[in-house]
Amino acid sequence: EVELVESGGGLVQPGGSLRLSCAASGFTFDDDAIGWYRQAPGKEREGVSCIHNSDGRTYYSDSVKGRFTISRGDAENAVYLQMNSLKPEDTAVYHCAVLRRGACPLLLLGVLGYDYWGQGTQVTVSS
């Protein structure tokens, strides 16, 4: 059974940091686009970051560029999102998603949907 499980969310003050993890099971990352999107109440879904598993190329939305860093696990079937300088507007449920043999720009736009996605982890940035 394919599963993506996110962890690492929580409550943090503005300016703080969190590291999200996405653990995949039931399949192995191949020539895939693996990314993160977020959904806040009353707002549209937003793709925030993506990495191509084949060459490690990374992509970021303008809203998080310079503050978030996506990376792959060296051995484990996992992807991470380091989030620094967090702002209240970063508050959302963050989901991990995979587009098999896909391109990161398409994953970030969400126009093709996703092949796999997780249930999400809540990130709340508030003082």
Side-chain angles (χ1 to χ4, degrees), residues 11-95:
L11 172 64
V12 64
Q13 291 187 341
S17 299
L18 284 173
R19 185 176 187 248
L20 305 184
S21 299
C22 172
S25 60
F27 75 105
T28 302
F29 292 148
D30 195 352
D31 187 18
D32 301 326
I34 310 151
W36 295 86
Y37 68 91
R38 63 189 181 187
Q39 183 80 60
K43 294 186 178 180
E44 289 192 2
R45 182 180 59 192
E46 179 189 13
V48 296
S49 185
C50 183
I51 186 168
H52 278 299
N53 187 62
S54 57
D55 59 13
R57 218 167 3 154
T58 58
Y59 297 76
Y60 300 93
S61 66
D62 288 341
S63 61
V64 307
K65 198 173 295 181
R67 300 187 297 121
F68 290 11
T69 303
I70 190 170
S71 61
R72 297 171 295 180
D74 286 337
E76 66 273 29
N77 214 31
V79 169
Y80 307 96
L81 186 67
Q82 178 67 42
M83 306 187 297
N84 298 330
S85 302
L86 283 162
K87 305 175 182 180
E89 50 264 44
D90 294 318
T91 296
V93 177
Y94 283 71
H95 299 262

